[in-house]
Amino acid sequence: MSVPKIQSRQLLGLLSILLAQLFAISAAQAADVVVQPSAGSGLVVKDNTGAIERFRVSETGLISVSGWPTLPEQLSQMCINSGTGVLGPCAATVGFSLPYAATVSSPSTLFNITQSGAGGTLSAAISDAANTTTVMKVTTTGLGNGLDVQLPASSGARGIDVNHSGVGPGVFVTSQGGNAIWGFVNSMSAAAVIGDGSSGEVIVARHNGAVCGLNIGRCAGIGAVVGRHDGPLGIAVRGFVTDPEGGTGVLGQAGISGGSGVAGRFENVNAASPTTTLEVATNSTGNLITLAKSGTNVARIDSTGKGFFNGGTQTGGADVAELIDFRGNTPRPGDVVEIDPENSMHYRVSTGAESALVAGVITTKPGVLMNATVEDATGLPALALVGRVPVKVTLEGGDIKPGDLLVSASLPGHAKKAPIQIRPGTVIGKALQSYSSGATGSVEMLVMTR
């Protein structure tokens, strides 16, 4: 049979009429209208001139629409039923038009696109400069990730790339419970969080203390930046400079914008820890430590450990002392000690009255400690050389009054009032206090050996 030429370019309307006449099955019809083209040919619909092909159904079942890009837009959508092969309007749940919204309950991924070519997979943009709405919004009330980005191990690409030319934040995160940003790294050559910049601060952390309220103590242990290392011999916070012209590895400042506080504080809160709280090390010839006031250096410790103080030094002790080696019983603070004649450069607790070997008294808290280095063993006694120290005394020589000269007593480690006839080299000092009761006691003594 011959097929009349099509008079309308409304393709989708044409398809509906044509399919209703040729392919739709109805109980009211006596029989289908069958077109049986020969092998290699098909059913063809052309325009009113007969020169332009509009629609073709091949003998093998393939359908082609040659002029699709130039056809007017239609409101209805066409679908092929996978079960019956019928082409017709799509069901309400098939496909989408914009704006589009749907709620679907399915265990499968609702939107899955794989790009095997060189192009992108998904692009979304807002072209209106005055538009303040969000380009893409991800919301979840489940336990899964809001956004999951996976890159192969060999990839050098960015998981998320934000190219920002405005003044707002490139990435902004608000958290009411969990961590706002959490980075995890499992490589020695990588970093969990890294920031690069050619001007401005690279990474800034600000804490406004809003949760503190009037109870300032609530924020006493909260840091705007916290470094934590749970491994052995690790460094929690590290700052270094690579510019040959110099720079500052770590800078702590207080008093900015009229504030107050401490620019730097170091604590060792473990009472049982024997480690150093603050350690300064250098391989250079410069100073270990420099202290300045209003831009002027007032004190420094050079690379050899020598200290320089513009205003002098002031300590809590009242004497100058030096560490000593000893033999026998350990000398205790207040003990009278003498030179050990059997061991060169060593001392011992005094052993007899009016000994000419006496060297002085072991100090309790020296103001200045001589000949001490960081390598000295702890626990060595310190012998008072100059100043005022407490000394153990007895009444063996009579009551002691301020100004009395003191010498060693027969009781080991103790002093007594010197006799009228004083042997040279036996005096250890001059009493500054009285003592007249009890077998033994203690008085303040001015060191004065002679």
Side-chain angles (χ1 to χ4, degrees):
M1 59 176 289
S2 62
V3 179
K5 296 181 180 180
I6 306 302
Q7 300 299 319
S8 174
R9 297 185 62 187
Q10 305 300 319
L11 177 61
L12 296 179
L14 168 65
L15 293 178
S16 299
I17 297 173
L18 179 63
L19 293 173
Q21 292 177 348
L22 300 180
F23 300 104
I25 299 175
S26 172
Q29 293 175 317
D32 293 334
V33 177
V34 178
V35 178
Q36 187 175 356
S38 59
S41 63
L43 171 65
V44 179
V45 178
K46 295 187 176 182
D47 68 350
N48 58 351
T49 66
I52 301 176
E53 182 177 305
R54 297 299 190 187
F55 181 77
R56 174 184 290 271
V57 179
S58 70
E59 177 267 334
T60 60
L62 296 179
I63 300 174
S64 63
V65 182
S66 302
W68 190 291
T70 61
L71 294 177
E73 181 181 353
Q74 301 297 313
L75 297 180
S76 61
Q77 296 172 329
M78 305 299 291
C79 295
I80 298 178
N81 189 305
S82 61
T84 64
V86 174
L87 176 65
C90 298
T93 58
V94 176
F96 63 89
S97 60
L98 301 178
Y100 174 78
T103 299
V104 179
S105 177
S106 172
S108 302
T109 300
L110 296 183
F111 199 74
N112 191 335
I113 300 177
T114 299
Q115 166 67 278
S116 60
T121 301
L122 181 63
S123 177
I126 292 179
S127 59
D128 184 357
N131 193 324
T132 60
T133 57
T134 301
V135 176
M136 180 179 293
K137 184 176 182 180
V138 178
T139 303
T140 179
T141 57
L143 301 178
N145 298 324
L147 180 64
D148 193 356
V149 178
Q150 298 183 12
L151 299 176
S154 60
S155 174
R158 303 176 180 94
I160 297 178
D161 191 0
V162 179
N163 190 346
H164 189 12
S165 300
V167 296
V171 176
F172 185 80
V173 181
T174 299
S175 177
Q176 301 298 330
N179 297 303
I181 297 178
W182 187 340
F184 181 83
V185 66
N186 198 25
S187 172
M188 290 289 291
S189 59
V193 177
I194 187 170
D196 290 317
S198 57
S199 64
E201 309 285 359
V202 176
I203 297 178
V204 176
R206 298 182 296 186
H207 197 298
N208 60 21
V211 299
C212 300
L214 298 178
N215 186 358
I216 299 178
R218 290 181 60 187
C219 285
I222 298 177
V225 176
V226 177
R228 172 174 172 170
H229 200 300
D230 295 328
L233 303 178
I235 299 173
V237 176
R238 181 167 72 110
F240 59 91
V241 176
T242 60
D243 195 317
E245 295 185 3
T248 303
V250 177
L251 173 65
Q253 293 179 312
I256 302 296
S257 301
S260 63
V262 179
R265 181 184 178 91
F266 299 88
E267 293 182 346
N268 191 336
V269 298
N270 183 0
S273 174
T275 55
T276 303
T277 300
L278 174 62
E279 182 177 299
V280 179
T282 183
N283 292 325
S284 71
T285 58
N287 296 320
L288 277 171
I289 298 175
T290 299
L291 305 178
K293 168 69 174 179
S294 301
T296 302
N297 292 346
V298 296
R300 65 186 176 92
I301 299 177
D302 68 13
S303 58
T304 67
K306 184 184 296 184
F308 301 83
F309 304 90
N310 290 0
T313 60
Q314 182 174 339
T315 65
D319 64 302
V320 177
E322 68 171 356
L323 297 177
I324 60 171
D325 287 324
F326 63 93
R327 289 289 186 268
N329 295 331
T330 303
R332 302 296 181 186
D335 279 347
V336 178
V337 296
E338 61 186 12
I339 297 171
D340 188 343
E342 299 178 357
N343 296 283
S344 177
M345 301 296 294
H346 284 73
Y347 299 83
R348 68 186 182 188
V349 176
S350 63
T351 58
E354 302 174 39
S355 170
L357 295 173
V358 289
V361 178
I362 300 301
T363 181
T364 56
K365 184 180 180 182
V368 178
L369 187 60
M370 311 291 285
N371 79 328
T373 66
V374 293
E375 288 80 16
D376 285 323
T378 58
L380 285 177
L383 175 66
L385 303 176
V386 179
R388 173 170 53 87
V389 293
V391 60
K392 298 175 181 178
V393 295
T394 72
L395 295 178
E396 182 180 320
D399 292 348
I400 298 175
K401 298 178 181 179
D404 286 342
L405 297 177
L406 301 177
V407 296
S408 63
S410 58
L411 182 64
H414 285 67
K416 68 173 182 176
K417 178 181 178 180
I420 297 176
Q421 297 296 326
I422 301 175
R423 293 176 56 199
T426 60
V427 174
I428 59 173
K430 184 176 290 188
L432 298 175
Q433 291 178 302
S434 298
Y435 183 76
S436 59
S437 62
T440 60
S442 176
V443 297
E444 286 288 317
M445 180 194 79
L446 182 64
V447 176
M448 191 176 63
T449 56
R450 64 175 185 174

